[in-house]
Amino acid sequence: MGEVRTAVPVPTTAGAAARRRPGARQAQQWLLTLLPAFPVLLLVLRLWRLSQQDMSTMLLLVQYVSPLGLLSALLIALVWAVPLVVLLPAVLGRLLQVSAPDRFDPERSLLAYATSRTPDWVLVATAVLAALTWQLRFLPVLVMLLVWLVALHTRNRFPDRPRLLTVTGVILPVVLAAACYTWLGPAIWAAVGHGELATAVLLALPPAGALVLTGPVPARIAPTVTRTFTYTAGALLPLVMGAVFLRVPLLPAVAVEVGEPVTQEIVLGEAVTVTDKMTIVLDRSGVVRFLPNNTVQGQVLCSGDVRTPTSRVDVAGWPVEDTALDWTMPRGPSGSPDPRCAGLVPTSS
């Protein structure tokens, strides 16, 4: 009689793929869980800071502050971060794919998964958004990221076309670097002369840096390099976004004339709401003032705090702290400030 043996399952590629799946899938599930919670956390922290860490004041603000206003302030303040979140992982993912294709596994790496699932039109749209919303001094960084992305994407799709690789990996970066230095040269020297070293670095280094990552890095260090940059950006970006949003105004700044029968005091602060009996104002010291409507003689909307330029450098008349939207979108007329916004009681004529 023949010998009976226990059947041994034959390993298949499907089984190997199944064992690889949980890595990227679990990371994606965690990301999709935490991503919606981050804006909510920013909004709560902003209200907590606005209320001067007083729970009763915070609950009052939650009751009256419009959710649409909160989301609008969040979007306007942090719209610049969207291109960075899209473009930087795309560059790192393409670098990993070109340098170590055997480690580019969308089933195990969240970076590879995001890179393979991001269509080209999204990259183009985010590049346009960055060109409109980033300050002029950050536009050389955008040029550097786009040159890297084009060169790496071309090398991945057309590895057998050396002329095209030479154009995108050598000629294009050199031409753009020369154009950037021709346009930004006077501003770089002006920044150095004014002692603005950060501005000089932001204008001078990225055009030269565009020549660095147009091709693969050694395969043995590619996963470490991409992982390090990904984790560093993932840790720093939320902190920067939070620091920016915590300074964004959420309520309209007003000056309220209070007194009976004539104005005796100007209450400066932010308007919370107006009821049938009370005008509720959060004054500049963080105290909620309940002003009876019969004592309110009037109120005026004060313009928000005007951002004071910290740099004296410009490029052909374009201040380095302005964005393209600052130049293209119309602004309201700037007249003389209302004296009531300075806390001055108007004199009766």
Side-chain angles (χ1 to χ4, degrees), residues 86-99 104 109 111-112 115 145 148-149 152 213 222-223 225-234:
V86 176
L87 294 177
L88 186 58
V91 171
L92 294 176
R94 295 300 179 190
L95 179 63
L96 178 62
Q97 186 178 18
V98 170
S99 304
F104 187 82
S109 170
L111 180 63
T115 302
L145 291 176
W148 288 351
L149 187 59
L152 294 173
L213 288 181
V225 170
T226 55
R227 191 180 302 114
T228 301
F229 277 100
T230 301
Y231 290 162
T232 303

Side-chain angles (χ1 to χ4, degrees), residues 13 32 53 82 84 102 104 111 114 149 156 158 169 172 177 223 231 238 278 308 321 324 334 341-342 346 348:
T13 57
L32 294 178
Q53 293 82 46
V82 176
L84 196 59
D102 57 319
F104 187 82
L111 180 63
L149 187 59
N156 176 61
F158 308 102
L172 179 63
Y231 290 162
M278 293 286 180
T308 303
E321 293 180 300
S334 57
C341 292
S348 57

Side-chain angles (χ1 to χ4, degrees), residues 27-341:
Q28 181 187 7
Q29 291 174 0
W30 276 103
L31 182 62
L32 294 178
T33 301
L34 297 177
L35 191 60
F38 180 67
V40 176
L41 178 63
L42 284 181
L43 296 175
V44 172
L45 289 177
R46 183 65 185 93
L47 290 176
W48 180 247
R49 183 175 184 271
L50 185 62
S51 64
Q52 303 290 332
Q53 293 82 46
D54 181 73
M55 183 59 68
S56 299
T57 304
M58 177 180 171
L59 294 177
L60 178 69
L61 296 177
V62 170
Q63 180 179 357
Y64 288 109
V65 173
S66 168
L68 181 60
L70 288 174
L71 294 177
S72 300
L74 179 66
L75 177 62
I76 294 175
L78 301 181
V79 67
W80 57 267
V82 176
L84 196 59
V85 171
V86 176
L87 294 177
L88 186 58
V91 171
L92 294 176
R94 295 300 179 190
L95 179 63
L96 178 62
Q97 186 178 18
V98 170
S99 304
D102 57 319
R103 302 292 298 272
F104 187 82
D105 188 356
E107 300 297 342
R108 296 186 59 185
S109 170
L110 184 61
L111 180 63
Y113 180 85
T115 302
S116 60
R117 291 300 183 94
T118 304
D120 294 340
W121 68 265
V122 173
L123 299 177
V124 174
T126 53
V128 174
L129 181 62
L132 293 175
T133 59
W134 285 12
Q135 295 180 5
L136 173 60
R137 56 185 167 185
F138 296 116
L139 292 185
V141 177
L142 175 63
V143 173
M144 180 181 66
L145 291 176
L146 294 179
V147 168
W148 288 351
L149 187 59
V150 170
L152 294 173
H153 186 66
T154 304
R155 185 174 292 272
N156 176 61
R157 292 193 60 181
F158 308 102
D160 55 345
R161 300 178 61 178
R163 291 185 179 179
L164 182 60
L165 297 181
T166 302
V167 170
T168 58
V170 179
I171 298 178
L172 179 63
V174 170
V175 170
L176 288 179
C180 287
Y181 285 129
T182 301
W183 186 46
L184 301 174
I188 296 173
W189 288 112
V192 174
H194 293 311
E196 301 177 17
L197 297 182
T199 300
V201 169
L202 287 172
L203 296 178
L205 287 187
L211 301 169
V212 176
L213 288 181
T214 58
V217 298
R220 65 179 183 277
I221 67 171
T224 303
V225 170
T226 55
R227 191 180 302 114
T228 301
F229 277 100
T230 301
Y231 290 162
T232 303
L236 293 180
L237 187 59
L239 297 178
V240 175
M241 293 171 63
V244 171
F245 183 67
L246 288 179
R247 296 183 176 89
V248 174
L250 298 180
L251 298 172
V254 296
V256 184
E257 301 180 43
V258 181
E260 191 178 6
V262 296
T263 302
Q264 300 175 353
E265 179 190 5
I266 299 294
V267 177
L268 300 177
E270 298 172 276
V272 178
T273 188
V274 178
T275 66
D276 54 347
K277 294 184 178 180
M278 293 286 180
T279 297
I280 305 177
V281 178
L282 181 67
D283 67 17
R284 292 185 173 179
S285 62
V287 178
V288 177
R289 300 282 298 270
F290 296 89
L291 309 175
N293 287 339
N294 57 356
T295 64
V296 175
Q297 301 298 324
Q299 59 180 329
V300 60
L301 185 66
C302 299
S303 59
D305 295 336
V306 180
R307 179 173 58 88
T308 303
T310 60
S311 175
R312 294 178 290 174
V313 180
D314 64 85
V315 179
W318 183 353
V320 294
E321 293 180 300
D322 283 357
T323 67
L325 287 179
D326 294 333
W327 280 62
T328 57
M329 297 184 67
R331 296 187 180 185
S334 57
S336 57
D338 195 301
R340 289 172 292 183
C341 292

